[in-house]
Amino acid sequence: MRSGTLALVGLLLLLGTVVATQSTVNHARPPSLRKSSPGAAGAPVKTASKGSQLDPSNFLVVVIAAVILVYGAHRALRPPFLDMSASSAEVMAYEEAAEAGEMQLHTTFMFVIVASCSLVMIFYFMSAMSVLITVLFSFISSLALGALVYPYVDRYTDHRFSREIDVAYLGPMPMLVFVMAPVCILTVVTWLLTKSWILNNILAFSLIIFFLTSVRLSSLKVASSLLTLAFFYDIFWVFISSSIFGKNVMVTVATGLNVPIKILVPLMLAHGKSMQFTLIGLGDIVLPGLLLCFALRLDDTKGIDKKSGYFAATMLGYCVGLTMCEVIVGTLHVAQPAMIYLVPGTLIPLVLVANSRGEIRNVWEGIKSHHRTHPALRLVAVRVRSSSVAPPCPKAASSPSHRSACTATSRQPLCFRWRFCARCGSVWSAGLTIGRGAGQ
């Protein structure tokens, strides 16, 4: 991963760790946390009492999570309105950027270590860490909301605001970024002041899509490592931590933080004046979602029908696993680490499909990028002197006619300010040139 992407991914992993704890206790909050006044901006979310019955909203959570993952997986595979044809310069640029967020085997161990350290820090320094996490969430959710709607706004405004403006230290940025920034910031500020569950869900949805499109898995080996570690991580911190720390660390953190980075669904059969909710933490959507994105890429790479391939089987397993978790939580009202249902529910179907197709070894080693394996699309990355303005084609110095042939091809937000030379086929940005290597 490149440093900029790694920094954002690290922050998202930290936030994902925190919100993953929220889903384990969605019906088991201590009574003292349910006594806050209804509608108070800083009041923790009120969840179902232990005497309540299984609610239809428990099953609605499964449907919502599935819809989010279907959209997220398809968006990670093919961004909206981006020319993804094999000969397109945009697909080359997108693949290069996507590789920067590719998770490696050692990253999966880093995730568990960072996640565990974060939980302990929050456990011992609850008040200070709560402020820090709120600030981080506010910053990243502003970026995520902007990235979510940017392609649609750009398309439906007919690219009127696509002209770039030079910004000190950031380089050229489209005008639309400055048009949308106040709206995104205002949305986050409104959530901070009101703690509206509707705004919470909008921001949570944005974070999920931002994560799924920023990080990807390219092999079953890495996916198995990540999900297996998450499986034991959940078990340890939910069931074993109390014997070491004197309290259940995960439940204490989840109930003590009022940082609603989760999907909230109002209970349909709840009684009382204030709304009650069931919920699912972002970690229980994002981590299995990375495997689902990988499964969809497998189907696309191999030309498999998506209704009967890796993605369909893995999605079915996810829905079955999450339904089992919701039924147990909704009836017994005890803390349940959802990953103990979701990990086998997603990994086992994918492995079975791969084994039935005789592709288990190939899937284990993973997908190789098209521009790495296909000679016509193979690229060579060359670092060039960084500039606040996108430089001309690298060959322009020796051939001035190249300059007139250069055209802008991509209007994706923040990360994809690429140029394409129609004469020589080079693709480049302000600080990175991706050209066709000599003799290729």
Side-chain angles (χ1 to χ4, degrees):
M1 292 185 184
R2 295 195 187 117
S3 58
T5 304
L6 183 60
L8 283 177
V9 169
L11 291 176
L12 280 171
L13 286 176
L14 173 60
L15 294 175
T17 300
V18 176
V19 300
T21 66
Q22 306 274 351
S23 62
T24 66
V25 290
N26 52 351
H27 287 282
R29 291 178 182 257
S32 60
L33 292 179
R34 296 196 191 100
K35 293 180 180 179
S36 53
S37 58
V45 176
K46 185 176 181 180
T47 54
S49 61
K50 291 188 176 182
S52 61
Q53 58 184 342
L54 187 65
D55 194 280
S57 295
N58 291 104
F59 301 103
L60 184 58
V61 166
V62 179
V63 175
I64 292 173
V67 170
I68 291 174
L69 285 175
V70 169
Y71 173 79
H74 282 83
R75 174 146 179 176
L77 180 67
R78 288 189 174 85
F81 315 120
L82 188 68
D83 181 8
M84 296 295 286
S85 59
S87 60
S88 168
E90 288 188 331
V91 73
M92 300 178 193
Y94 177 74
E95 280 293 318
E96 180 69 18
E99 276 189 9
E102 190 169 296
M103 185 172 283
Q104 305 298 326
L105 187 61
H106 68 274
T107 315
T108 62
F109 291 92
M110 288 174 57
F111 166 76
V112 175
I113 294 172
V114 172
S116 299
C117 292
S118 300
L119 272 181
V120 174
M121 287 182 64
I122 297 170
F123 178 74
Y124 285 113
F125 307 102
M126 182 72 69
S127 58
M129 291 299 294
S130 178
V131 174
L132 174 61
I133 291 170
T134 300
V135 172
L136 292 178
F137 167 74
S138 301
F139 172 70
I140 297 179
S141 58
S142 298
L143 295 179
L145 182 60
L148 175 67
V149 301
Y150 185 101
Y152 302 102
V153 176
D154 189 40
R155 176 65 176 264
Y156 293 118
T157 56
D158 198 24
H159 313 299
R160 292 188 184 93
F161 303 98
S162 59
R163 184 172 66 85
E164 293 180 342
I165 300 174
D166 293 336
V167 181
Y169 305 108
L170 296 178
M173 301 184 71
M175 287 181 60
L176 187 56
V177 171
F178 301 96
V179 174
M180 293 177 54
V183 178
C184 297
I185 294 172
L186 180 62
T187 303
V188 174
V189 171
T190 304
W191 168 78
L192 285 170
L193 296 176
T194 65
K195 295 297 166 60
S196 164
W197 69 272
I198 297 176
L199 290 179
N200 170 91
N201 288 353
I202 292 173
L203 297 178
F205 174 69
S206 303
L207 278 171
I208 293 169
I209 303 305
F210 186 60
F211 196 107
L212 294 180
T213 54
S214 300
V215 182
R216 77 178 185 183
L217 306 174
S218 290
S219 71
L220 180 58
K221 175 169 58 179
V222 176
S224 300
S225 174
L226 175 65
L227 293 178
T228 302
L229 288 171
F231 178 87
F232 289 107
Y233 164 87
D234 258 11
I235 290 177
F236 175 82
W237 289 109
V238 172
F239 296 122
I240 304 176
S241 62
S242 57
S243 61
I244 300 174
F245 295 90
K247 290 183 180 180
N248 188 315
V249 174
M250 185 172 282
V251 173
T252 302
V253 170
T255 56
L257 282 178
N258 185 21
V259 187
I261 314 175
K262 57 237 176 192
I263 299 295
L264 296 169
V265 181
L267 295 174
M268 299 180 185
L269 304 180
H271 302 288
K273 296 180 180 180
S274 59
M275 295 183 68
Q276 298 179 25
F277 297 88
T278 185
L279 55 90
I280 179 171
L282 267 63
D284 297 331
I285 300 178
V286 167
L287 295 180
L290 293 174
L291 181 64
L292 283 159
C293 291
F294 171 63
L296 186 61
R297 289 178 61 226
L298 280 174
D299 288 344
D300 184 71
T301 302
K302 299 177 180 295
I304 304 172
D305 184 3
K306 295 179 178 60
K307 296 180 180 179
S308 57
Y310 290 98
F311 181 75
T314 309
M315 176 57 75
L316 178 61
Y318 176 84
C319 292
V320 170
L322 186 56
T323 299
M324 290 176 60
C325 180
E326 286 294 325
V327 169
I328 292 175
V329 168
T331 53
L332 301 181
H333 306 294
V334 294
Q336 288 292 303
M339 296 304 288
I340 67 174
Y341 305 94
L342 298 179
V343 170
T346 52
L347 276 179
I348 292 175
L350 191 145
V351 171
L352 290 177
V353 172
N355 186 61
S356 67
R357 294 178 55 85
E359 298 174 344
I360 187 68
R361 180 177 300 229
N362 178 262
V363 173
W364 179 258
E365 292 301 326
I367 302 171
K368 302 299 181 184
S369 299
H370 293 294
H371 70 266
R372 280 183 175 177
T373 57
H374 197 294
L377 296 178
R378 195 165 45 182
L379 303 176
V380 178
V382 182
R383 292 296 304 179
V384 297
R385 186 172 181 272
S386 180
S387 169
S388 61
V389 180
C393 174
K395 294 187 178 181
S398 59
S399 177
S401 61
H402 272 78
R403 188 183 297 273
S404 61
C406 296
T407 56
T409 61
S410 180
R411 296 185 175 92
Q412 294 298 310
L414 301 179
C415 299
F416 307 124
R417 298 189 300 276
W418 302 95
R419 301 289 190 215
F420 173 63
C421 181
R423 183 177 293 273
C424 68
S426 295
V427 183
W428 73 96
S429 70
L432 177 67
T433 298
I434 308 169
R436 294 179 186 273
Q440 294 187 26

